[in-house]
Amino acid sequence: MDYNVAVIPGDGIGPEIVREACRVLDAVGTKYGHGFHYTQVLMGGASIDATGVPLTDEALATAKASDSVLLGAVGGKVGESSWYELPPNLRPEAGLLSIRKGLGLFCNLRPALLFPQLKNACPLKDEIIGEGFDFVVVRELTGGVYFGERKTVTEGGVRRAIDTMPYDENEIRRIARWAFEVAMKRGKRVVSVDKANVLDTSRLWRQVVAETAMEYPEVALSDMLVDNAAMQIVRDPKQFDVVLTENMFGDILSDEASMVTGSIGMLASASLGAGKLGLYEPSHGSAPDIAGQDKANPIATILSAAMMLRYSFDLVQEADAVEAAVSQVLDAGYRTVDIMSEGCKLIGTKEMGEQIAKRI
Ligand code: IPM
Ligand code: MG
């Protein structure tokens, strides 16, 4: 089969890590007889530099017309890059929010899986890690405080900023369904994370999630407050199977989840909507401080490409092959600097991509 993939290298380490993910996809194409055709799309700072805006209508249209989108990362250093002198709606991150919204990608899956080979890179104690852990954060991606009305005003000489956090029951129900569907294919346990002791949106969230749970009698649902969830992820990550949560809580908890897997450089992500088109990107950022130095870990992006094969193209065997190749490379002792430990072989971004591609 032929697949059209819109590729957004973005900023910072984005171009380097995306290059390696495409190398791995090409190896999959050769082995299994698929053609992956890439169309480069500008977004983030790269788009601002070329067009003045972080995402043009044409770029969004190209993404929409593709079978799927592969993204590196966007953004630079706040305070250093001139992109951050622009109004907020013209900064690099606004491009990311616009493409998620524009493609209707309301569901963000972020698997937190500890590869046994990376136990040493995990900051948790052995007794906490036990046999390892494997959970997935299901994050609502196009609602809540990220998309609510906001403004900054000066009243009586005092500067005041307001962000609002709206959710309606339909937005909650559709993401809850996703979480229950994912749970049905995994351990059949959903922990729904909110702040229902304070927020109205969380109280509605809790009710709607409980109502949706009736459609999935086989799945065990429990609720957890977000502050407690942040603690439980480091206290006992094994307890989780599917973690369902709203946009900002999911952003924060998924970074925490990635760290307990050893490195933020390992965590893939898939953003999905009603159809087959998805946006696949590592959960980490653009790491401008190490950009262009062949130091970045491309594994999160490569595992994101595996999620693309699985969720957008239904190429299960091929997705398994990519994940197995990553595991074999770790078995062989190859490490980028973020996951390096004693006795392993330190390699760069490009060699990591090559080592994985040749094991497909
Ligand atoms: C992420 C990132 C983005 C988010 C930023 C760059 C807007 O942190 O994908 O987790 O918060 O969604
Ligand atoms: Mg984040």
Side-chain angles (χ1 to χ4, degrees):
M1 274 279 283
D2 285 305
Y3 300 93
N4 293 314
V5 181
V7 172
I8 309 178
D11 310 315
I13 59 172
E16 298 162 69
I17 53 181
V18 160
R19 197 176 301 130
E20 299 318 311
C22 291
R23 188 193 303 282
V24 173
L25 282 176
D26 289 340
V28 168
T30 307
K31 165 108 187 245
Y32 295 91
H34 306 298
F36 298 105
H37 308 287
Y38 309 112
T39 309
Q40 301 282 320
V41 173
L42 285 177
M43 195 174 91
S47 174
I48 295 173
D49 291 345
T51 70
V53 294
L55 182 73
T56 61
D57 291 344
E58 300 82 78
L60 179 61
T62 306
K64 233 180 219 166
S66 69
D67 294 318
S68 177
V69 185
L70 180 67
L71 164 66
V74 292
K77 254 202 181 130
V78 181
E80 276 180 28
S81 160
S82 60
W83 297 328
Y84 296 95
E85 287 156 22
L86 295 165
N89 62 332
L90 291 179
R91 293 180 190 173
E93 288 74 9
L96 182 56
L97 300 187
S98 308
I99 200 169
R100 287 173 179 168
K101 192 78 167 179
L103 298 177
L105 306 174
F106 61 86
C107 172
N108 187 208
L109 303 179
R110 296 189 160 179
L113 167 74
L114 180 68
F115 280 89
Q117 304 93 324
L118 293 186
K119 255 186 161 178
N120 284 337
C122 173
L124 302 177
K125 290 191 187 126
D126 275 351
E127 58 262 39
I128 294 177
I129 301 172
E131 295 299 298
F133 48 86
D134 174 2
F135 62 97
V136 57
V137 177
V138 178
R139 168 189 177 193
E140 199 292 324
L141 202 60
T142 53
V145 71
Y146 273 53
F147 292 93
E149 279 172 39
R150 69 181 92 253
K151 63 178 175 186
T152 305
V153 293
T154 305
E155 286 164 354
V158 178
R159 285 171 299 164
R160 187 179 156 80
I162 304 164
D163 295 286
T164 56
M165 186 180 192
Y167 266 113
D168 70 38
E169 60 178 303
N170 296 324
E171 289 172 292
I172 301 170
R173 196 172 296 111
R174 67 182 184 179
I175 189 70
R177 285 210 177 104
W178 250 107
F180 288 111
E181 292 291 338
V182 170
M184 286 298 288
K185 295 189 190 135
R186 298 178 41 106
K188 300 193 175 150
R189 286 179 297 121
V190 171
V191 175
S192 172
V193 172
D194 62 40
K195 188 69 185 170
N197 52 350
V198 178
L199 302 176
D200 267 19
T201 42
S202 284
R203 286 186 273 267
L204 179 63
W205 181 277
R206 214 175 254 219
Q207 277 172 17
V208 175
V209 172
E211 290 158 18
T212 313
M214 317 267 223
E215 300 166 24
Y216 299 89
E218 282 178 58
V219 178
L221 168 69
S222 57
D223 299 299
M224 192 179 278
L225 295 172
V226 63
D227 45 354
N228 184 29
M231 181 182 75
Q232 295 298 337
I233 287 173
V234 290
R235 198 190 70 86
D236 180 20
K238 290 190 299 299
Q239 70 184 286
F240 296 110
D241 177 27
V242 174
V243 174
L244 162 65
T245 193
E246 66 87 42
N247 205 343
M248 186 168 64
F249 297 161
D251 179 36
I252 298 168
L253 293 181
S254 61
D255 264 32
E256 189 191 5
S258 72
M259 198 56 231
V260 302
T261 67
S263 165
I264 193 159
M266 297 296 296
L267 204 78
S269 124
S271 302
L272 304 157
K276 277 286 172 194
L277 172 67
L279 175 106
Y280 299 84
E281 57 173 319
S283 295
H284 59 70
S286 60
D289 44 325
I290 58 163
Q293 297 173 33
D294 196 43
K295 279 189 186 159
N297 184 351
I299 293 180
T301 318
I302 291 168
L303 292 174
S304 301
M307 292 184 88
M308 172 189 293
L309 298 171
R310 193 180 299 284
Y311 291 102
S312 281
F313 304 155
D314 292 315
L315 299 175
V316 177
Q317 202 188 349
E318 290 82 342
D320 288 345
V322 173
E323 288 163 5
V326 168
S327 193
Q328 283 164 29
V329 168
L330 296 175
D331 278 339
Y334 292 105
R335 301 285 188 274
T336 43
V337 64
D338 56 306
I339 49 174
M340 183 60 191
S341 61
E342 231 182 278
C344 293
K345 264 174 276 179
L346 181 65
I347 58 173
T349 312
K350 179 162 181 270
E351 193 179 347
M352 183 56 92
E354 287 168 353
Q355 290 291 347
I356 294 167
K358 82 178 189 205
R359 287 173 173 79
I360 295 293

PDB file of all heavy atoms in Angstrom, residues 290-305:
ATOM      1  N   ILE A 290      20.292  21.295  22.732  1.00  0.00           N
ATOM      2  CA  ILE A 290      21.114  20.225  22.127  1.00  0.00           C
ATOM      3  C   ILE A 290      20.839  20.071  20.621  1.00  0.00           C
ATOM      4  O   ILE A 290      21.299  19.113  19.995  1.00  0.00           O
ATOM      5  CB  ILE A 290      20.928  18.855  22.845  1.00  0.00           C
ATOM      6  CG1 ILE A 290      19.451  18.418  22.814  1.00  0.00           C
ATOM      7  CG2 ILE A 290      21.469  18.908  24.266  1.00  0.00           C
ATOM      8  CD1 ILE A 290      19.279  16.923  23.117  1.00  0.00           C
ATOM      9  N   ALA A 291      20.103  21.024  20.053  1.00  0.00           N
ATOM     10  CA  ALA A 291      19.734  20.910  18.634  1.00  0.00           C
ATOM     11  C   ALA A 291      20.965  20.902  17.741  1.00  0.00           C
ATOM     12  O   ALA A 291      21.939  21.616  17.991  1.00  0.00           O
ATOM     13  CB  ALA A 291      18.817  22.065  18.233  1.00  0.00           C
ATOM     14  N   GLY A 292      20.927  20.071  16.710  1.00  0.00           N
ATOM     15  CA  GLY A 292      21.988  20.047  15.709  1.00  0.00           C
ATOM     16  C   GLY A 292      23.279  19.406  16.185  1.00  0.00           C
ATOM     17  O   GLY A 292      24.305  19.477  15.510  1.00  0.00           O
ATOM     18  N   GLN A 293      23.263  18.757  17.329  1.00  0.00           N
ATOM     19  CA  GLN A 293      24.504  18.185  17.874  1.00  0.00           C
ATOM     20  C   GLN A 293      24.531  16.658  17.819  1.00  0.00           C
ATOM     21  O   GLN A 293      25.421  16.043  18.399  1.00  0.00           O
ATOM     22  CB  GLN A 293      24.693  18.635  19.332  1.00  0.00           C
ATOM     23  CG  GLN A 293      24.851  20.138  19.474  1.00  0.00           C
ATOM     24  CD  GLN A 293      24.865  20.561  20.941  1.00  0.00           C
ATOM     25  OE1 GLN A 293      25.345  19.820  21.802  1.00  0.00           O
ATOM     26  NE2 GLN A 293      24.339  21.729  21.232  1.00  0.00           N
ATOM     27  N   ASP A 294      23.523  16.054  17.197  1.00  0.00           N
ATOM     28  CA  ASP A 294      23.468  14.601  17.096  1.00  0.00           C
ATOM     29  C   ASP A 294      23.417  13.937  18.480  1.00  0.00           C
ATOM     30  O   ASP A 294      23.958  12.856  18.681  1.00  0.00           O
ATOM     31  CB  ASP A 294      24.681  14.078  16.283  1.00  0.00           C
ATOM     32  CG  ASP A 294      24.478  12.639  15.813  1.00  0.00           C
ATOM     33  OD1 ASP A 294      23.363  12.325  15.358  1.00  0.00           O
ATOM     34  OD2 ASP A 294      25.429  11.833  15.916  1.00  0.00           O
ATOM     35  N   LYS A 295      22.758  14.609  19.421  1.00  0.00           N
ATOM     36  CA  LYS A 295      22.683  14.076  20.795  1.00  0.00           C
ATOM     37  C   LYS A 295      21.285  13.588  21.161  1.00  0.00           C
ATOM     38  O   LYS A 295      21.107  12.830  22.108  1.00  0.00           O
ATOM     39  CB  LYS A 295      23.036  15.187  21.794  1.00  0.00           C
ATOM     40  CG  LYS A 295      24.513  15.428  21.980  1.00  0.00           C
ATOM     41  CD  LYS A 295      24.710  16.396  23.146  1.00  0.00           C
ATOM     42  CE  LYS A 295      26.170  16.781  23.290  1.00  0.00           C
ATOM     43  NZ  LYS A 295      26.319  18.030  24.032  1.00  0.00           N
ATOM     44  N   ALA A 296      20.292  14.083  20.434  1.00  0.00           N
ATOM     45  CA  ALA A 296      18.904  13.808  20.824  1.00  0.00           C
ATOM     46  C   ALA A 296      18.562  12.328  20.654  1.00  0.00           C
ATOM     47  O   ALA A 296      19.068  11.647  19.760  1.00  0.00           O
ATOM     48  CB  ALA A 296      17.962  14.654  19.972  1.00  0.00           C
ATOM     49  N   ASN A 297      17.691  11.851  21.519  1.00  0.00           N
ATOM     50  CA  ASN A 297      17.218  10.472  21.433  1.00  0.00           C
ATOM     51  C   ASN A 297      16.041  10.420  20.442  1.00  0.00           C
ATOM     52  O   ASN A 297      15.000  11.014  20.695  1.00  0.00           O
ATOM     53  CB  ASN A 297      16.756  10.039  22.835  1.00  0.00           C
ATOM     54  CG  ASN A 297      16.333   8.594  22.881  1.00  0.00           C
ATOM     55  OD1 ASN A 297      16.225   7.935  21.848  1.00  0.00           O
ATOM     56  ND2 ASN A 297      16.091   8.087  24.080  1.00  0.00           N
ATOM     57  N   PRO A 298      16.181   9.698  19.330  1.00  0.00           N
ATOM     58  CA  PRO A 298      15.073   9.659  18.353  1.00  0.00           C
ATOM     59  C   PRO A 298      14.031   8.594  18.679  1.00  0.00           C
ATOM     60  O   PRO A 298      13.063   8.425  17.933  1.00  0.00           O
ATOM     61  CB  PRO A 298      15.799   9.311  17.046  1.00  0.00           C
ATOM     62  CG  PRO A 298      16.923   8.426  17.481  1.00  0.00           C
ATOM     63  CD  PRO A 298      17.356   8.920  18.859  1.00  0.00           C
ATOM     64  N   ILE A 299      14.207   7.855  19.784  1.00  0.00           N
ATOM     65  CA  ILE A 299      13.340   6.685  20.022  1.00  0.00           C
ATOM     66  C   ILE A 299      11.873   7.087  20.214  1.00  0.00           C
ATOM     67  O   ILE A 299      10.971   6.442  19.688  1.00  0.00           O
ATOM     68  CB  ILE A 299      13.856   5.816  21.197  1.00  0.00           C
ATOM     69  CG1 ILE A 299      15.190   5.180  20.800  1.00  0.00           C
ATOM     70  CG2 ILE A 299      12.842   4.739  21.567  1.00  0.00           C
ATOM     71  CD1 ILE A 299      15.818   4.283  21.862  1.00  0.00           C
ATOM     72  N   ALA A 300      11.607   8.189  20.946  1.00  0.00           N
ATOM     73  CA  ALA A 300      10.206   8.594  21.149  1.00  0.00           C
ATOM     74  C   ALA A 300       9.528   8.862  19.801  1.00  0.00           C
ATOM     75  O   ALA A 300       8.354   8.525  19.606  1.00  0.00           O
ATOM     76  CB  ALA A 300      10.127   9.832  22.032  1.00  0.00           C
ATOM     77  N   THR A 301      10.272   9.446  18.863  1.00  0.00           N
ATOM     78  CA  THR A 301       9.697   9.749  17.549  1.00  0.00           C
ATOM     79  C   THR A 301       9.524   8.464  16.742  1.00  0.00           C
ATOM     80  O   THR A 301       8.529   8.277  16.035  1.00  0.00           O
ATOM     81  CB  THR A 301      10.600  10.741  16.785  1.00  0.00           C
ATOM     82  OG1 THR A 301      11.048  11.729  17.705  1.00  0.00           O
ATOM     83  CG2 THR A 301       9.852  11.406  15.647  1.00  0.00           C
ATOM     84  N   ILE A 302      10.486   7.571  16.858  1.00  0.00           N
ATOM     85  CA  ILE A 302      10.401   6.287  16.145  1.00  0.00           C
ATOM     86  C   ILE A 302       9.220   5.462  16.695  1.00  0.00           C
ATOM     87  O   ILE A 302       8.449   4.869  15.937  1.00  0.00           O
ATOM     88  CB  ILE A 302      11.747   5.533  16.251  1.00  0.00           C
ATOM     89  CG1 ILE A 302      12.804   6.301  15.431  1.00  0.00           C
ATOM     90  CG2 ILE A 302      11.626   4.079  15.801  1.00  0.00           C
ATOM     91  CD1 ILE A 302      14.239   5.864  15.649  1.00  0.00           C
ATOM     92  N   LEU A 303       9.053   5.486  18.013  1.00  0.00           N
ATOM     93  CA  LEU A 303       7.911   4.767  18.599  1.00  0.00           C
ATOM     94  C   LEU A 303       6.585   5.464  18.239  1.00  0.00           C
ATOM     95  O   LEU A 303       5.539   4.810  18.151  1.00  0.00           O
ATOM     96  CB  LEU A 303       8.059   4.653  20.125  1.00  0.00           C
ATOM     97  CG  LEU A 303       9.197   3.735  20.602  1.00  0.00           C
ATOM     98  CD1 LEU A 303       9.341   3.816  22.127  1.00  0.00           C
ATOM     99  CD2 LEU A 303       8.950   2.274  20.187  1.00  0.00           C
ATOM    100  N   SER A 304       6.632   6.770  18.017  1.00  0.00           N
ATOM    101  CA  SER A 304       5.434   7.487  17.551  1.00  0.00           C
ATOM    102  C   SER A 304       5.086   7.033  16.135  1.00  0.00           C
ATOM    103  O   SER A 304       3.909   6.864  15.793  1.00  0.00           O
ATOM    104  CB  SER A 304       5.650   9.010  17.573  1.00  0.00           C
ATOM    105  OG  SER A 304       5.971   9.449  18.871  1.00  0.00           O
ATOM    106  N   ALA A 305       6.135   6.838  15.300  1.00  0.00           N
ATOM    107  CA  ALA A 305       5.899   6.330  13.945  1.00  0.00           C
ATOM    108  C   ALA A 305       5.291   4.928  14.017  1.00  0.00           C
ATOM    109  O   ALA A 305       4.416   4.571  13.206  1.00  0.00           O
ATOM    110  CB  ALA A 305       7.199   6.321  13.145  1.00  0.00           C
TER     111      ALA A 305
END
